[in-house]
Amino acid sequence: MWYESLNLKSNPFEDNGWETELIGYSNEIEEIFYRIASGSMVYIEGGNGLGKTALLKKVIAQFKGIGKVVYLNGNNVKEIDIEGVLINSNGFFGKLLKKLPDGMILLLDDVNYLSKKNCERLKYFYDQNYVKSIIFTGDGFEKANFTESLKERISKVIKLNGINEDEILELVESRLGEKEVFDNPELVKEIWGKSGKNFKKFFKNCELLCQRAVEYNGGKVTKKEVAELLGKDINDNKELKEVKGNVVEHYKKEIEKIKEKIEEREVKKRSGGLHMRNTKKEVEAKNIEDKPQITYEDIAEKYY
Amino acid sequence: MELWYKELGFYNNPFSIKPLAFHDEIIGNNVREMISKIEKGNVLFIEGEYGNGKTSVLKKIIREFGGSRRLIYYSCNRAEKGIDFDNLLIGRYGIIGRIFKIKPKDMILLLDEAQELTPIDAEKLKDYYKKHFWSIVLVGHKYNDLQIDGFKEVIGENVISLRKLSADEAVRLIRRRIGNINFLPDNIIKVIFEKSKTNPRRLLKNCEEVCKHAHSKGARQVASEHINEALKV
């Protein structure tokens, strides 16, 4: 791998918020820990790639030992069965007796998609102290579809403003150690700017640049390469766009095929050819059908 | 990092906004009167603005009748497909009750978030009233917003509006929580109360904010500049 030739054990630009230190958010982390300890609700507001999930991961790392932390991502599902989640988190006997745990810490990532009913239910569990503290994240407190009475109970809205250029330098240095991969610090700032000050994009761009540098340029990222690769944004890169397009097409076809298969079976079933026999393949296919949340873009992103 | 309230000698956050966290007396509202109405078998509707202590009043009623095994507490927003009153009633006798489907009589039903009550459920509730429920207490946001006209007859005149706290009562509320410590003087509580637009829940939240801020500054007593700094947003 490219990072091995830089004497690094793992990919320095991998998103592994579990262990790494979050630079520039020490105040926010302190605030969140305090709110959890004092039993309040907090809303973390910030756009994509500003480190909301990384902050939640920090919370998990801090409180994971006590078995009271539940992490839910609202991005994938519209309806979350909060009651079910809480019962399930209570272990085997809890499930058996349908007992609700107390003093849980709920982390709800990307909650703008939650239904009103669910918000009301959250409020109920919070009032009954089944849930000690709730941390919401999302891209706007005002936009979130919460009921008024839930909003009233939220003690604090923490706005994430991202970090400044010096802090991003510090971050890169902490990731790369002593290795001087980038020609000069200005280059890092330039990449940061060209990535739209977005962590996810920034790390992706850095990884791409470093990989290229190791393979073609003896491990040095120069201005020329940055200009070449990041004309404006990674999405403008023609080569990558083509790859992305191909992957999307490929998966579109796959999903079409699966859909056709399911339809065939349904028709057969109705005409009595296939009785109530759910073959393994059918179940699998249905599962794929059940998950429309995975968009083509998602799949493509994994592959480029 | 030491928490401010622990350094002041509290084990838990004294300004917690959870109705269950403290066994306060209800300040400013006559709970005795409500309880006597329940004992007479009326249907009550308790209305109040956000954060005025609706759920806290319910908790008080629960404590009053606790142990008599006559109470059913239910929050309407938990119901997904209407409320199953039979199931609520049968559950009262445990497993044996479930097997023989025994439905108890003269129960007291507490319905939280009554503004979510659907007309269908309200009709059902009307049938159950006097048959199985001795008294029903509905708690909701505004009585006039209620969509259940048929049920309003049953409620009749028993609509109780929670009234707002006076400044002195607000001080008493906070004193119940924190005792007579010097850290937060009475006049400061009154200022915070005004800034909270006389809403009890907001008062508690703001008190927490101000005390936390004052403590982080190393102050021995909260002063008015701490209020301005902590509540500037």
Side-chain angles (χ1 to χ4, degrees):
Chain A
M1 296 306 273
W2 62 270
Y3 44 81
E4 276 163 4
S5 61
L6 288 173
N7 289 334
L8 290 165
K9 267 186 195 161
S10 62
N11 183 354
F13 297 115
E14 205 174 21
D15 189 9
N16 55 349
W18 298 93
E19 297 131 34
T20 41
E21 205 185 330
L22 272 174
I23 287 166
Y25 281 148
S26 58
N27 284 343
E28 280 82 355
I29 291 172
E30 198 176 303
E31 180 72 34
I32 291 168
F33 285 175
Y34 164 73
R35 294 291 160 183
I36 290 174
S38 66
S40 317
M41 293 198 219
V42 188
Y43 188 92
I44 303 175
E45 189 181 307
N48 247 343
L50 276 179
K52 288 173 309 212
T53 307
L55 276 174
L56 290 189
K57 281 177 178 171
K58 270 271 175 260
V59 173
I60 296 173
Q62 174 85 0
F63 291 95
K64 65 184 170 191
I66 55 176
K68 294 271 184 199
V69 186
V70 176
Y71 174 90
L72 284 175
N73 196 329
N75 206 352
N76 294 337
V77 262
K78 272 219 161 83
E79 273 299 320
I80 293 177
D81 176 16
I82 302 285
E83 202 168 350
V85 169
L86 286 177
I87 289 170
N88 277 343
S89 66
N90 216 9
F92 175 70
F93 287 104
K95 253 191 248 176
L96 210 63
L97 302 169
K98 286 204 172 179
K99 198 173 172 288
L100 285 163
D102 61 333
M104 300 296 293
I105 299 163
L106 265 182
L107 311 176
L108 299 178
D109 210 351
D110 260 327
V111 277
N112 290 332
Y113 304 98
L114 275 190
S115 66
K116 273 206 161 112
K117 206 126 232 178
N118 244 324
C119 290
E120 283 292 307
R121 222 169 295 158
L122 277 182
K123 188 194 105 190
Y124 167 79
F125 287 126
Y126 178 75
D127 277 352
Q128 306 290 316
N129 209 13
Y130 295 135
V131 172
K132 179 186 178 190
S133 173
I134 306 176
I135 314 279
F136 300 95
T137 77
D139 54 358
F141 181 58
E142 294 303 322
K143 269 194 276 171
N145 111 45
F146 294 170
T147 52
E148 207 48 47
S149 52
L150 185 69
K151 274 191 176 172
E152 278 285 315
R153 281 167 168 80
I154 291 175
S155 309
K156 184 121 188 166
V157 179
I158 298 174
K159 282 196 176 124
L160 298 185
N161 297 319
I163 63 179
N164 60 33
E165 288 186 334
D166 291 328
E167 282 165 332
I168 202 74
L169 264 184
E170 202 185 319
L171 183 80
V172 170
E173 270 165 26
S174 79
R175 290 285 179 103
L176 283 176
E178 301 277 292
K179 313 277 174 316
E180 284 186 358
V181 182
F182 294 97
D183 241 10
N184 60 49
E186 290 305 315
L187 220 49
V188 177
K189 290 180 187 172
E190 202 185 320
I191 300 169
W192 176 239
K194 280 186 173 162
S195 312
K197 308 208 168 183
N198 178 315
F199 280 113
K200 279 177 197 159
K201 268 190 193 162
F202 175 72
F203 282 138
K204 231 171 230 170
N205 286 344
C206 279
E207 190 182 334
L208 208 68
L209 279 168
C210 289
Q211 197 174 348
R212 287 232 163 172
V214 168
E215 279 166 13
Y216 304 114
N217 210 12
K220 278 273 176 206
V221 178
T222 58
K223 203 163 175 118
K224 193 181 135 230
E225 279 188 309
V226 174
E228 234 172 53
L229 211 62
L230 306 176
K232 207 176 160 201
D233 187 61
I234 198 154
N235 281 333
D236 286 350
N237 193 309
K238 258 190 190 167
E239 198 184 313
L240 275 174
K241 232 180 184 175
E242 257 168 39
V243 174
K244 205 173 167 182
N246 287 343
V247 175
V248 169
E249 281 303 311
H250 173 71
Y251 274 89
K252 260 185 192 170
K253 274 177 196 162
E254 287 280 297
I255 288 172
E256 283 301 315
K257 269 186 204 164
I258 292 166
K259 271 185 187 165
E260 271 171 28
K261 265 188 190 169
I262 292 169
E263 261 169 39
E264 246 173 55
R265 268 170 203 278
E266 289 285 314
V267 172
K268 267 188 191 171
K269 222 186 206 174
R270 255 176 261 140
S271 62
L274 250 171
H275 295 291
M276 296 303 287
R277 216 177 65 211
N278 272 5
T279 58
K280 200 180 171 191
K281 259 194 180 161
E282 191 180 349
V283 172
E284 267 172 20
K286 267 202 174 152
N287 280 343
I288 293 169
E289 262 271 282
D290 284 343
K291 285 176 190 161
Q293 312 94 355
I294 302 171
T295 58
Y296 307 130
E297 267 70 22
D298 279 350
I299 299 163
E301 217 144 80
K302 269 184 199 161
Y303 279 81
Y304 83 80
Chain B
M1 178 188 67
E2 190 59 69
L3 299 170
W4 67 269
Y5 54 82
K6 290 208 170 158
E7 281 192 3
L8 287 176
F10 298 103
Y11 184 69
N12 280 322
N13 178 9
F15 300 120
S16 170
I17 55 168
K18 288 179 192 169
L20 250 187
F22 286 83
H23 296 299
D24 289 338
E25 72 171 303
I26 304 292
I27 292 170
N29 285 297
N30 194 347
V31 183
R32 280 259 64 107
E33 194 193 312
M34 296 179 207
I35 287 167
S36 75
K37 273 189 177 163
I38 293 168
E39 279 167 347
K40 280 176 199 149
N42 292 312
V43 177
L44 301 186
F45 188 91
I46 301 172
E47 66 170 357
E49 285 291 317
Y50 294 122
N52 259 344
K54 298 186 293 286
T55 310
S56 301
V57 167
L58 268 193
K59 292 284 180 280
K60 180 78 185 165
I61 295 169
I62 289 174
R63 262 200 306 288
E64 191 68 31
F65 290 96
S68 64
R69 308 197 67 183
R70 287 176 65 195
L71 277 183
I72 297 173
Y73 172 84
Y74 196 79
S75 183
C76 290
N77 59 38
R78 278 183 75 191
E80 268 167 45
K81 300 169 205 142
I83 306 169
D84 186 356
F85 292 109
D86 278 340
N87 198 19
L88 282 181
L89 284 165
I90 289 169
R92 130 104 141 107
Y93 287 118
I95 290 173
I96 297 168
R98 272 181 206 282
I99 293 170
F100 294 105
K101 300 217 160 139
I102 307 170
K103 282 188 219 164
K105 281 174 186 166
D106 52 88
M107 300 293 286
I108 298 162
L109 179 68
L110 308 177
L111 276 181
D112 207 347
E113 312 287 348
Q115 68 272 11
E116 305 252 329
L117 196 65
T118 58
I120 303 161
D121 281 337
E123 279 304 308
K124 260 202 268 172
L125 195 57
K126 217 166 138 187
D127 293 340
Y128 276 88
Y129 176 55
K130 285 299 168 202
K131 227 187 274 170
H132 296 291
F133 295 122
W134 173 252
S135 170
I136 301 170
V137 183
L138 299 126
V139 181
H141 192 45
K142 257 187 192 143
Y143 178 69
N144 290 332
D145 288 355
L146 223 54
Q147 299 292 325
I148 39 178
D149 289 327
F151 200 71
K152 281 185 177 174
E153 295 163 21
V154 187
I155 299 172
E157 305 231 312
N158 290 319
V159 181
I160 298 161
S161 297
L162 294 181
R163 68 173 182 81
K164 292 204 158 149
L165 291 185
S166 69
D168 286 325
E169 283 165 343
V171 172
R172 249 174 70 207
L173 176 78
I174 298 295
R175 284 279 168 250
R176 291 249 150 220
R177 294 287 186 98
I178 59 171
N180 270 329
I181 59 168
N182 288 329
F183 188 69
L184 195 61
D186 283 3
N187 56 333
I188 294 288
I189 296 175
K190 282 180 188 169
V191 176
I192 299 174
F193 184 56
E194 249 169 58
K195 291 223 170 204
S196 315
K197 292 177 186 139
T198 70
N199 180 317
R201 177 156 55 216
R202 225 167 288 152
L203 169 73
L204 288 170
K205 270 205 248 175
N206 285 340
C207 278
E208 181 186 349
E209 241 28 81
V210 172
C211 286
K212 181 172 169 257
H213 178 73
H215 184 262
S216 73
K217 293 266 163 183
R220 293 193 141 194
Q221 198 174 44
V222 180
S224 50
E225 74 248 26
H226 294 135
I227 301 178
N228 295 331
E229 283 162 17
L231 304 180
K232 62 181 170 233
V233 189

